[in-house]
Amino acid sequence: MSYTSADGRQQILDELATATEHLGVAVARLGEAYEALDEPTADRLEAELFRPLQAAYGTAQRTHSEFAARYGAPPRSFGQSSPGLPAAPREELDRSSEEIRTADETIATLQDSMLPVEVGDPELRAGLSRVRELIGPLPDRARGIVRVLGR
């Protein structure tokens, strides 16, 4: 089977969309946790997790849409993600961290595949790297917040 640049671009778009969707679910889960926390802990969650995750989510969406536009692919909208049934804040933080890790692994696999290099798109590569920079420390930060819950 022959591989084309169009196939590679579509694979990039599909994998980036998957990672972006995971980030959207992580944002929604953090929102659920935020609502159930006391004010000081909620403020910490917002500063240490929610803001950087929102930035990563926005960067992932923008990277996807700009890459699609550069190659004439149809735009994709990422709607409001549903976290599912609400759970205790600790569980929401754990689930959010898992979504973040899954997104990070998806982007890392995409980067390791060398597809972003093969299509010759430096803006795409920079966007992918930026998303990973933003989300990389978040699971550890979430663990730090989970450790103090209920104390």
Side-chain angles (χ1 to χ4, degrees):
M1 183 165 146
S2 176
Y3 173 82
T4 66
S5 293
D7 293 335
R9 287 190 295 270
Q10 188 59 53
Q11 183 177 345
I12 289 168
L13 287 168
D14 292 345
E15 291 181 27
L16 181 52
T18 297
T20 304
E21 289 167 354
H22 283 286
L23 293 176
V25 172
V27 167
R29 290 203 173 280
L30 285 183
E32 291 292 329
Y34 179 90
E35 294 299 323
L37 293 171
D38 61 82
E39 191 172 335
T41 307
D43 289 346
R44 181 176 173 202
L45 180 142
E46 182 177 2
E48 293 182 21
L49 296 174
F50 193 76
R51 285 186 195 141
L53 181 57
Q54 277 284 81
Y57 183 49
T59 300
Q61 289 178 3
R62 189 171 41 261
T63 299
H64 187 281
S65 66
E66 290 173 357
F67 180 73
R70 282 193 294 279
Y71 293 99
R76 169 150 183 192
S77 63
F78 295 93
Q80 181 78 13
S81 297
S82 171
L85 295 174
R90 180 181 309 265
E91 191 172 338
E92 291 292 2
L93 285 165
D94 288 342
R95 289 177 180 176
S96 179
S97 292
E98 187 56 39
E99 294 289 343
I100 292 167
R101 278 191 287 277
T102 300
D104 189 43
E105 290 169 7
T106 301
I107 295 171
T109 300
L110 178 58
Q111 288 174 314
D112 290 347
S113 75
M114 297 303 289
L115 274 175
V117 173
E118 289 173 14
V119 298
D121 195 305
E123 293 89 355
L124 170 70
R125 293 192 307 272
L128 296 174
S129 294
R130 180 68 182 139
V131 171
R132 291 195 67 212
E133 288 170 11
L134 288 166
I135 64 176
L138 299 183
D140 286 339
R141 289 181 190 168
R143 272 193 299 282
I145 293 172
V146 166
R147 274 194 295 262
V148 299
L149 287 178
R151 290 184 182 182

